[in-house]
Amino acid sequence: MCDALGGKSLVGVALHSETSPLLPHTGPPRVNGGSPPTDAEDGRCSSPPCPQPESPGAGRCSACRHWGLLLALVAALSSSLVSVVVQQLSDVDPACLSAFRFLSIVPLAGLEALRRGQDVFPRGHRMVLLLRAVLGAAALICKFYALRRMLLADASVLLLSAPVFVSVWACLLLGEPCGALHVMSLLATISGALMIVRPKWMRSGGAGADDAVSLAGAALALASALFLSAAYVTLRRLQSVHWSATVLVFGVVGAMMSYAVWLGTGAGHPPSSAAEWLMVLALGALTMVMQLAFTVACQLEQAGPVAVVRTSEIVFAVVWQVAFFHCVPGPYTVAGMVLVMMSVLAVALHKCITQRRGNGRP
């Protein structure tokens, strides 16, 4: 397992994953420790360059690859618990929580940049760095607000639909082809999202106050997925920029945006009690575990299988929703979840098959 880290420190690997999606880019390799590649997934792990086989998982022993899948499962569990913490801290403004989340990554990224003498705002990449930071920060802020306005499982399903939208942005912004599979996955995702939200309107005979809150939550969750998928596309322009610069700009811009949103909404308050501060610390710790586990998982296993395991977060979200919030999903919600999960799995499995064929494996 140590070889898979390519000599990086655990802190560096964990922060590295701040800028990286799950599925690797197939274009030219990164240079000078640049930002990780990007392709159709969730933004939390990567494959840093190392003198290993051409793709993660290729040529590794089966035990290492099994460890990779296990770590992907641990990361999905940690991510679902992060969502639980955000929902439990109901008196703390979501933008305040996201500000703490961003500030927690700034010191370590800054120390790494100082150690390397890294230019954290290099010429020729400044606009893309800022755009990536704004998109990523908007995605996280929308995610935290969505978790306050929707049931945990409903929000998690919509938030995990980001891989489906990556192909749309890549087609619009990069001129990449968008195949029939991606179009069908997009339509299924939209249909699933409508099924998750619509039953409340049907039961009430019209949109009431609760339905308006749920609809706003669904809009925020889908906006988060769209912002995140767009951020993945911008990362393709930052492959030559060291991760410390990308993460540092991301953390600073994200903290500033979160603070501005917090002041603008005027809702909630910062953590005040010891219990709330402990939960904020737990939020930071779980985030680091999640990022580190996904990063190492992608070092030990190909991104396609890791993406499949990634969808287990939806199962965890349903379990926590029933256990902590005593709410069982209805039939329409379950059907919508299945549609979205199948869409994400189709994209992930397609990538997995493409990777296997590229490695000359049947």
Side-chain angles (χ1 to χ4, degrees), residues 292-339:
L292 176 60
F294 263 122
T295 300
V296 179
C298 285
Q299 293 295 306
L300 299 175
E301 178 57 272
Q302 292 188 2
V306 173
V308 174
V309 177
R310 173 78 174 84
T311 59
S312 64
E313 183 178 339
I314 297 175
V315 178
F316 289 127
V318 173
V319 173
W320 305 145
Q321 178 175 301
V322 175
F324 295 132
F325 305 104
H326 311 292
C327 182
V328 179
Y332 282 97
T333 301
V334 172
M337 289 179 180
V338 171
L339 271 177

Side-chain angles (χ1 to χ4, degrees), residues 7-42:
K8 290 180 178 284
S9 66
L10 293 184
V11 171
V13 170
L15 283 178
H16 199 173
S17 64
E18 282 285 349
T19 64
S20 51
L22 189 55
L23 300 186
H25 181 46
T26 56
R30 301 184 304 278
V31 296
N32 193 29
S35 294
T38 56
D39 211 35
E41 246 305 322
D42 124 334

Side-chain angles (χ1 to χ4, degrees), residues 118-129 238 240-241:
Q118 176 70 36
D119 182 2
V120 298
F121 207 45
R123 289 181 178 274
H125 298 284
R126 292 175 180 176
M127 292 303 298
V128 183
L129 272 173
L238 297 173
S240 61
V241 179

Side-chain angles (χ1 to χ4, degrees), residues 146-163:
L147 286 168
R148 291 292 177 81
R149 288 163 171 76
M150 294 185 72
L151 296 175
L152 178 62
D154 296 2
S156 298
V157 171
L158 299 182
L159 291 167
L160 285 172
S161 64

Side-chain angles (χ1 to χ4, degrees), residues 9-284:
S9 66
L10 293 184
V11 171
V13 170
L15 283 178
H16 199 173
S17 64
E18 282 285 349
T19 64
S20 51
L22 189 55
L23 300 186
H25 181 46
T26 56
R30 301 184 304 278
V31 296
N32 193 29
S35 294
T38 56
D39 211 35
E41 246 305 322
D42 124 334
R44 292 173 185 159
C45 70
S46 65
S47 303
C50 62
Q52 296 292 338
E54 63 276 6
S55 62
R60 299 193 186 280
C61 63
S62 59
C64 288
R65 300 181 66 187
H66 292 159
W67 271 108
L69 295 179
L70 179 61
L71 286 170
L73 189 64
V74 170
L77 173 62
S78 302
S79 180
S80 67
L81 289 174
V82 166
S83 299
V84 172
V85 172
V86 172
Q87 285 206 333
Q88 290 282 17
L89 288 169
S90 57
D91 292 332
V92 181
D93 189 86
C96 180
L97 290 177
S98 66
F100 283 115
R101 159 75 168 75
F102 285 119
L103 288 174
S104 67
I105 67 176
V106 169
L108 294 175
L111 289 174
E112 175 65 13
L114 287 174
R115 186 185 70 84
R116 291 179 53 90
Q118 176 70 36
D119 182 2
V120 298
F121 207 45
R123 289 181 178 274
H125 298 284
R126 292 175 180 176
M127 292 303 298
V128 183
L129 272 173
L130 288 174
L131 179 60
R132 179 268 178 274
V134 169
L135 290 172
L140 186 64
I141 294 170
C142 287
K143 172 183 177 178
F144 279 15
Y145 275 103
L147 286 168
R148 291 292 177 81
R149 288 163 171 76
M150 294 185 72
L151 296 175
L152 178 62
D154 296 2
S156 298
V157 171
L158 299 182
L159 291 167
L160 285 172
S161 64
V164 179
F165 297 108
V166 170
S167 58
V168 177
W169 287 116
C171 177
L172 294 176
L173 301 180
L174 302 180
E176 295 185 1
C178 188
L181 174 66
H182 298 98
V183 174
M184 293 176 63
S185 297
L186 177 62
L187 293 176
T189 298
I190 295 174
S191 300
L194 290 175
M195 293 186 70
I196 289 173
V197 179
R198 188 184 176 195
K200 291 184 178 294
W201 306 342
M202 294 174 62
R203 288 196 302 268
S204 62
D210 292 340
D211 301 309
V213 171
S214 179
L215 181 59
L220 286 166
L222 287 174
S224 176
L226 285 169
F227 283 133
L228 190 59
S229 58
Y232 296 162
V233 176
T234 62
L235 277 171
R236 296 187 182 180
R237 306 294 186 186
L238 297 173
Q239 294 180 9
S240 61
V241 179
H242 191 261
W243 65 264
S244 60
T246 310
V247 172
L248 186 60
V249 174
F250 178 47
V252 171
V253 172
M256 293 173 61
M257 287 180 58
S258 299
Y259 188 65
V261 171
W262 182 24
L263 290 179
T265 58
H269 60 77
S272 55
S273 66
E276 288 179 342
W277 277 110
L278 285 174
M279 294 191 74
V280 170
L281 292 176
L283 178 69

